[in-house]
Amino acid sequence: MTHGMVNCSDCHKLHKSSQQKLVGAEINLACLECHDSVRSEFSFTSRHPIHEGKMLCVDCHEPHGSQSPRGLVALDEKGLCLKCHGQLIGPFAWEHGGSTDDCTVCH
């Protein structure tokens, strides 16, 4: 996993016009070049559908800088998760996690 500053050229191939702006699966491939620990998590049964092309790393993470400790596109982690996982918004007789729990406590 990368720590510290990332240079533009780490992801963007500046002298190849087709790779200056990454799109679709290219984005995920560029992210996974440095984030090896995350690559293995996409083999789990319960995971985000990155390999299926149903989402991109940048759907949740901001590669160009973020105020979030994990580089998320929003400061409210639970709110970000619920944008796609709205079926977990209650109220329910038995809640999925507490109303104040951060989703990353378990996931």
Side-chain angles (χ1 to χ4, degrees):
M1 183 172 208
T2 347
H3 297 284
M5 291 297 294
V6 177
N7 293 314
C8 298
S9 59
D10 291 338
C11 302
H12 300 281
K13 308 305 176 209
L14 302 177
H15 293 289
K16 294 182 180 181
S17 62
S18 65
Q19 291 183 335
Q20 286 184 11
K21 179 175 172 66
L22 300 174
V23 294
E26 296 173 333
I27 295 170
N28 293 340
L29 291 174
C31 295
L32 292 175
E33 281 185 26
C34 295
H35 296 281
D36 288 333
S37 62
V38 176
R39 180 189 306 269
S40 62
E41 291 176 12
F42 294 131
S43 300
F44 295 167
T45 303
S46 178
R47 60 182 169 71
H48 286 106
I50 294 289
H51 293 309
E52 292 83 353
K54 294 182 179 178
M55 72 179 297
L56 303 172
C57 299
V58 295
D59 290 341
C60 299
H61 298 277
E62 174 53 67
H64 300 114
S66 168
Q67 296 298 315
S68 168
R70 295 180 27 188
L72 297 177
V73 297
L75 291 177
D76 175 20
E77 290 185 26
K78 187 169 186 172
L80 180 60
C81 296
L82 292 175
K83 284 184 179 182
C84 294
H85 298 281
Q87 76 276 14
L88 300 175
I89 298 173
F92 300 109
W94 290 277
E95 293 289 335
H96 179 89
S99 59
T100 60
D101 286 349
D102 174 4
C103 301
T104 59
V105 169
C106 298
H107 300 283

